[in-house]
Amino acid sequence: MKSLVALLVSLVSFAAGAWTNGALWYDTNGHVVNAHGGGVLTHKGRFYLYGEHKIYSGRGNRAHAGVHMYSSTDLETWRDEGLVLQVEDKPGSDIEDGCILERPKIVHCVKTGKFVMFFHLELKGRGYNAARTGIAVADKVTGPYAFQRSLRPNAGKWPVEIPEKERNEATLRKFYEAERPWGGKAQIWGAHFNGGQMSRDMTVYVDRDAKAYHVFASENNSTLHVCELTDDYLDYTGRWTRIAALDWTEAPAICFKNGWYYLIGSGCTGWRPNAARSYRAKSIMGPWERLGNPAKGVNPKTKYGQEITWGGQSNYILELADGRALALFDLWNPKNQIDARLVWLPIDFAADNTISITWRDEYSLKGASASSGKR
Ligand code: DGJ
C-alpha cells in the first residue's frame, strides 16, 4: 500500500515538474533544499542536483559542511542524497572546515566510469587569495566524493593564442598586470605563469565529443580561462585560452544550441547582484562574442529587475535532451546564506542566435524526463 501511494505521488509530481522561483524548495523529508552555486547532472533516468550546503548567519559564507546532493525524476520532487563531499576536521587539510568551497560541478567520465567534481577552493583563513581548483572523485554519482588535490592550473603553460615565437619573458611582462575599472591594478596571467593560474568562479562543460573543459574566472576575476581536460577529466592537457579578456566576468555557465556555444555570467560585485551578461562562440575555445544582458523582466515580489538579474547570479545551465535549456541562478543572502533561494528559468533561443531569459514567478517544465538526459 505504502509503495502504491509513493508510486501515485511520483506520477503526480512527474506530471507537474513545476517550481516557484525565489521560494523555499523542500525535499521529500520536508527539509529545505540546500544546494547552491552547483548544478544538475543527468544520469540513468534521474536528475542529480548538487551544490554548496549553506548554514545560518554570515558563517554560511564559509564551508562548514560540504556539497549536498538531491535527486529527482521531474526536477520538482527532490530526494535527499546527503552530503556527498564533506569538509574535513583535520587542521591544515585543503578542505578544512571553514575553508571556502564554492560552485562545485560534477561530470561523469564515460571512459573511466568515475564521477569527477571540480570546485573553487579558498584555503581556510586566507580570504579569497588562494584562488585554487579542488578536485574530488567518486565511483557512484551519489558519492562519497574523495578529495584528490587542489591546484592552480596550467603552471608553465602558454595560452594557445600566443604564437611559439612570442613565448618569452617579454610577453609575460606584457601580460603582467591590468587596470581595474574601479581603480588600482590587478595581476593577470603573465604574473601567474610559473605558479599556475588563479581559478575562482567556475563551470565544467562536457562537449558532444566527450571532451571536457574547465572554465573559470582567472587573473583576479578579470578574464575567463577555458581549459581542456585530459580524457579521464582528472587533469589539464595544458591547452587553454583566455576569453572575455578584461571583461571582469564571474559565475560562468555554458550550453550549446544550433551550432553555437552560449555562455552566461555576471559582473564582479561580490555577493551583490549585477546585470547578467552573455557571449556566443562557434568553438568553445573561442573567439567568443559579447551579446549583452540576457535577463528580461521583473520579479514582482521584490521589484528586482533585469538590471540586477532579479537579485540573482548564474550558476549553471541544464541542457535537456529535447533541446530545452534551463538557466539556474542563486539569489544570495550573505547575511544568512541558508536562506539563499533558487531561480530556474528557461533560455529562449532566438532565430538570430541570441538568447534571453525572462523572469517567471513559476515555471512548469512539462515532460522533462531524465531518462533521455543529455549525458
Ligand atoms: C561572487 C561569486 O560568484 C560567488 O561565488 C562568491 O565567490 C562571491 N563572489 C563572494 O563575494
Side-chain angles (χ1 to χ4, degrees):
M1 185 63 191
K2 210 169 161 201
S3 57
L4 183 64
V5 171
L7 179 69
L8 287 173
V9 167
S10 73
L11 285 177
V12 168
S13 49
F14 179 80
W19 56 85
T20 304
N21 285 313
L24 288 172
W25 298 4
Y26 293 91
D27 66 17
T28 50
N29 297 323
H31 299 136
V32 170
V33 170
N34 193 341
H36 301 278
V40 177
L41 178 71
T42 310
H43 183 67
K44 289 198 177 159
R46 291 190 82 78
F47 295 108
Y48 292 88
L49 161 66
Y50 55 85
E52 306 155 33
H53 177 105
K54 297 295 198 185
I55 65 162
Y56 287 98
S57 81
R59 290 184 72 231
N61 296 321
R62 301 279 176 278
H64 297 289
V67 177
H68 206 136
M69 184 180 272
Y70 300 82
S71 74
S72 174
T73 53
D74 63 358
L75 295 173
E76 179 188 358
T77 314
W78 293 105
R79 180 171 88 196
D80 189 2
E81 302 287 352
L83 283 173
V84 295
L85 173 70
Q86 300 200 31
V87 296
E88 294 173 356
D89 291 332
K90 201 169 119 235
S93 156
D94 278 10
I95 56 166
E96 185 179 351
D97 183 348
C99 69
I100 292 172
L101 195 166
E102 293 180 339
R103 299 187 175 271
K105 298 290 173 281
I106 299 176
V107 285
H108 179 218
C109 182
V110 175
K111 189 170 175 192
T112 62
K114 304 276 185 201
F115 296 86
V116 185
M117 181 194 293
F118 280 71
F119 52 90
H120 166 201
L121 176 71
E122 298 291 349
L123 304 174
K124 185 176 179 178
R126 289 185 49 192
Y128 277 86
N129 288 325
R132 295 175 80 80
T133 293
I135 303 174
V137 180
D139 293 327
K140 288 196 311 180
V141 58
T142 50
Y145 286 78
F147 176 66
Q148 305 292 299
R149 62 187 176 127
S150 81
L151 75 160
R152 277 195 173 188
N154 290 319
K157 303 287 182 197
W158 294 87
V160 292
E161 55 271 25
I162 303 288
E164 286 289 340
K165 59 180 187 324
E166 288 172 25
R167 297 186 175 187
N168 54 40
E169 273 301 318
T171 301
L172 292 182
R173 276 200 300 278
K174 206 163 96 195
F175 290 100
Y176 203 81
E177 56 183 17
E179 303 282 339
R180 279 197 166 94
W182 50 89
K185 289 189 170 174
Q187 286 192 333
I188 59 171
W189 71 271
H192 302 127
F193 181 77
N194 291 320
Q197 299 299 327
M198 300 174 85
S199 55
R200 294 201 182 112
D201 278 14
M202 49 142 286
T203 195
V204 179
Y205 189 76
V206 178
D207 212 343
R208 287 153 300 144
D209 60 2
K211 260 195 195 316
Y213 298 83
H214 185 199
V215 179
F216 50 79
S218 191
E219 308 186 28
N220 276 297
N221 295 346
S222 67
T223 298
L224 295 172
H225 291 186
V226 179
C227 311
E228 189 185 75
L229 298 177
T230 50
D231 285 353
D232 58 8
Y233 302 173
L234 293 172
D235 207 346
Y236 299 83
T237 63
R239 197 171 158 253
W240 69 280
T241 187
R242 305 171 72 224
I243 69 164
L246 302 179
D247 273 2
W248 301 86
T249 300
E250 289 190 320
I254 291 184
C255 67
F256 178 83
K257 178 86 176 172
N258 299 335
W260 289 93
Y261 295 88
Y262 294 93
L263 185 151
I264 59 172
S266 73
C268 295
T269 52
W271 295 114
R272 280 178 299 111
N274 55 55
R277 57 198 47 196
S278 59
Y279 298 83
R280 73 177 174 195
K282 279 284 175 188
S283 157
I284 196 163
M285 295 293 283
W288 287 81
E289 178 191 347
R290 255 189 238 163
L291 290 179
N293 183 356
K296 291 203 185 322
V298 177
N299 174 353
K301 285 204 192 74
T302 60
K303 310 271 186 283
Y304 292 154
Q306 60 205 43
E307 66 291 347
I308 54 164
T309 320
W310 328 285
Q313 192 182 29
S314 44
N315 65 34
Y316 191 71
I317 299 174
L318 171 59
E319 298 176 287
L320 298 166
D322 59 13
R324 290 183 289 180
L326 287 176
L328 281 44
F329 300 83
D330 288 286
L331 305 182
W332 297 118
N333 184 350
K335 292 203 172 110
N336 192 23
Q337 293 285 28
I338 198 170
D339 198 33
R341 307 292 174 92
L342 304 175
V343 169
W344 289 9
L345 294 165
I347 298 183
D348 296 312
F349 297 94
D352 64 354
N353 299 316
T354 59
I355 54 171
S356 61
I357 305 166
T358 303
W359 175 266
R360 290 158 164 99
D361 295 340
E362 291 186 355
Y363 191 64
S364 169
L365 191 59
K366 291 189 189 67
S369 162
S371 54
S372 52
K374 188 188 158 210
R375 61 177 75 92

